[in-house]
Amino acid sequence: MDSFIIQGGRPLEGEIEISGSKNAVLPILAATLLTKEPCVIRRVPNLSDVHFMGKILQSLGASFTYEQGVVTVQARRLKARGDYDLIRKMRGSICILGPLLARSGKASVSMPGGCVIGTRPIDLHLKGLRALGAAITIKEGYVHAKADALLGSEVFLGGRVGPTVLGTANIMMAATLCEGVTVIESAACEPEITDLAQFLVAMGAKIQGAGSPRMVITGVKQLHGAEHEVIPDRIEAATYAMAAAATGGEVTLHHMRCDHLAAVLDKLKEAGVRLEARGSSLKILAGGTIKAVDVSTQPYTGYPTDAQAQLMALMLKAEGLSIITERIFESRFMHANELARLGADIAIEGPSAIIRGGLPLSGAEVMASDLRASAALVIAGLMCPGRTQVNRIYHLDRGYESMDKKLRGLGARVKRTQGR
Ligand code: UD1
């Protein structure tokens, strides 16, 4: 298993390109199953999750090629069940359920288990598909869905903590080929949902209200092939912005959407970081001191849970106390203990982490536990003097395209080695 060796304590400086969004491209790849015709997706990040999804599509009978950021998929004929082992390993693969069911009238996927960030239920996905007329059974760890015909319906997708992103994606995709009109109330408003809707519309789907809590989808008989360019990854952009701020650097991010990052940029400004947005570029100037800020994660347009760990790393530098409250996933503070190995003082009280910033930090060996927790450890490693070894960085390879290379481009001393 690879590790990163970071010699920290120097500011990041320079410019980088933000890659296409992982969380947008996974459901978009699943959506290609809705048509027999070829689809071409551009600006696809070179990530292990993307290649994993490619293997899942191939196991379902589709052709899949990846060449320099361009994916071509064609699902001429489909099998109702793919490789269960592959599907089980990637949570994002749950979004093949809707398209498979809509296209071939049946679908089986393995039931996702919990993960390190908490339980990951799919009750809302199943509720939505049942509302469209699917018969669903759960047997021996697998979800089996069947429907002779899917019928448009009204579906409320708000859950315990708000809307579901992939649940909205699943129901929206299934509804494109339903007979009649589907109304999704309390739909997720994340930019990745809007991007998926744009791709589906390019395929011939009729969708109104994407990006709002009420979506109306009028079913069509069939969809056709389409081309699409994936939106920039807002979480990758947030991560590099935090890294720039945490190291007191000066970094320009290109090919990004500041409008997708309003909550994150607002917090950075509150923390005293100077930001200069120009078109699709954002300059982060972080020479001064960092102020402690409080934040609660929320569904979009609120502060994203996927950028919570990175903010915690930044807050290690702020004088005073900051409180970070996690409202989306109950145990998403695995990074706190590892940050403590670098000298951080973080107390977890229920859903909140209380961070006493401004303490001296020094490099240490730490263990990545999930994708965004790993990003926080890398940011902390870049901040603190000495050598930090981040183990198990396969988590980072799932969601950050060439992170070590991009960081080296900003002057960081980061090396990938075969570690533990
Ligand atoms: C997606 C993102 C993930 C991000 C999350 C929240 C992808 C591949 N992943 O995950 O990076 O952290 O959105 O922004 O796009 N819930 C239920 N029942 C359900 C489904 C979800 O109660 O059927 C709950 C979850 O436990 C969680 C909340 O709803 O508390 C939000 O989860 P959801 O939006 O579904 O996350 P994902 O779509 O899986």
Side-chain angles (χ1 to χ4, degrees):
M1 273 183 245
D2 286 2
S3 303
F4 277 176
I5 309 288
I6 303 169
Q7 295 290 344
R10 45 196 283 160
L12 297 184
E13 268 159 20
E15 311 186 3
I16 47 166
E17 283 277 309
I18 297 304
S19 302
S21 160
K22 169 183 91 74
N23 283 357
V25 80
L26 294 178
I28 285 172
L29 290 174
T32 63
L33 297 176
L34 288 162
T35 177
K36 290 184 173 124
E37 296 182 15
C39 293
V40 178
I41 318 296
R42 301 186 191 283
R43 241 194 142 82
V44 178
N46 193 3
L47 301 172
S48 59
D49 265 11
V50 166
H51 296 293
F52 225 83
M53 187 57 127
K55 287 201 181 113
I56 290 171
L57 298 182
Q58 283 169 336
S59 82
L60 288 161
S63 65
F64 175 96
T65 61
Y66 181 97
E67 219 168 298
Q68 296 189 342
V70 180
V71 163
T72 307
V73 192
Q74 184 167 15
R76 238 187 230 114
R77 266 180 298 278
L78 272 188
K79 300 178 199 159
R81 47 196 276 182
D83 182 331
Y84 281 147
D85 252 6
L86 285 174
I87 294 169
R88 205 182 44 229
K89 283 185 190 141
M90 188 174 72
R91 199 198 127 82
S93 63
I94 186 68
C95 59
I96 62 172
L97 188 56
L100 263 185
L101 179 67
R103 169 93 182 270
S104 50
K106 53 185 176 186
S108 295
V109 303
S110 53
M111 187 87 184
C115 65
V116 291
I117 66 175
T119 55
R120 306 292 295 261
I122 57 163
D123 55 310
L124 297 168
H125 300 238
L126 304 186
K127 173 186 169 187
L129 294 175
R130 282 192 175 113
L132 301 181
I136 294 176
T137 49
I138 296 170
K139 223 168 135 190
E140 291 162 358
Y142 296 99
V143 181
H144 303 280
K146 245 170 87 175
D148 293 333
L150 290 175
L151 290 178
S153 173
E154 227 171 83
V155 188
F156 182 83
L157 280 187
R160 200 174 40 85
V161 296
T164 159
V165 178
L166 290 178
T168 301
N170 245 334
I171 309 312
M172 171 168 59
M173 289 189 279
T176 58
L177 292 180
C178 269
E179 215 179 299
V181 177
T182 297
V183 179
I184 305 179
E185 297 284 3
S186 197
C189 302
E190 269 69 3
E192 294 76 19
I193 290 293
T194 313
D195 202 35
L196 171 64
Q198 268 174 15
F199 176 56
L200 292 167
V201 167
M203 294 173 82
K206 292 193 177 146
I207 301 172
Q208 286 173 314
S212 81
R214 185 172 199 268
M215 288 176 60
V216 181
I217 302 127
T218 306
V220 295
K221 285 245 167 327
Q222 56 183 30
L223 296 177
H224 51 74
E227 290 201 22
H228 183 76
E229 184 177 303
V230 178
I231 51 168
D233 195 313
R234 62 192 170 105
I235 305 302
E236 189 198 24
T239 303
Y240 286 110
M242 299 285 170
T247 59
E250 208 175 298
V251 169
T252 304
L253 308 177
H254 294 296
H255 187 75
M256 65 166 285
R257 292 275 304 258
C258 291
D259 56 327
H260 290 169
L261 270 175
V264 171
L265 301 186
D266 188 59
K267 276 296 150 196
L268 283 172
K269 279 192 231 159
E270 198 184 321
V273 179
R274 257 177 62 213
L275 302 172
E276 288 173 8
R278 196 162 297 147
S280 61
S281 297
L282 176 76
K283 190 168 188 177
I284 296 115
L285 300 114
T289 52
I290 296 290
K291 295 183 210 135
V293 296
D294 297 338
V295 82
S296 279
T297 61
Q298 286 166 3
Y300 191 76
T301 54
Y303 191 92
T305 173
D306 285 352
Q308 176 259 105
Q310 300 88 318
L311 181 68
M312 190 181 290
L314 173 62
M315 285 301 107
L316 300 182
K317 195 180 169 174
E319 291 290 339
L321 289 183
S322 52
I323 302 177
I324 297 182
T325 304
E326 175 55 58
R327 297 255 177 244
I328 309 292
F329 293 112
E330 71 264 32
S331 25
R332 202 171 197 178
F333 285 136
M334 300 284 285
H335 39 284
N337 271 339
E338 295 301 302
L339 290 172
R341 295 172 63 82
L342 304 172
D345 178 351
I346 302 169
I348 307 294
E349 294 282 346
S352 296
I354 302 155
I355 302 122
R356 186 184 302 278
L359 300 178
L361 301 173
S362 61
E365 189 170 336
V366 289
M367 181 89 79
S369 56
D370 73 71
L371 173 56
R372 307 305 171 184
S374 318
L377 298 179
V378 170
I379 294 172
L382 291 168
M383 269 165 74
C384 63
R387 179 186 189 275
T388 294
Q389 176 165 343
V390 184
N391 294 329
R392 299 201 178 173
I393 49 125
Y394 60 84
H395 291 292
L396 285 169
D397 295 334
R398 285 186 40 225
Y400 289 95
E401 187 172 49
S402 317
M403 188 185 229
D404 46 336
K405 211 164 132 197
K406 285 191 182 183
L407 287 172
R408 281 195 295 274
L410 296 174
R413 282 177 292 183
V414 179
K415 221 169 55 189
R416 181 186 283 260
T417 60
Q418 291 242 304
R420 281 190 268 156

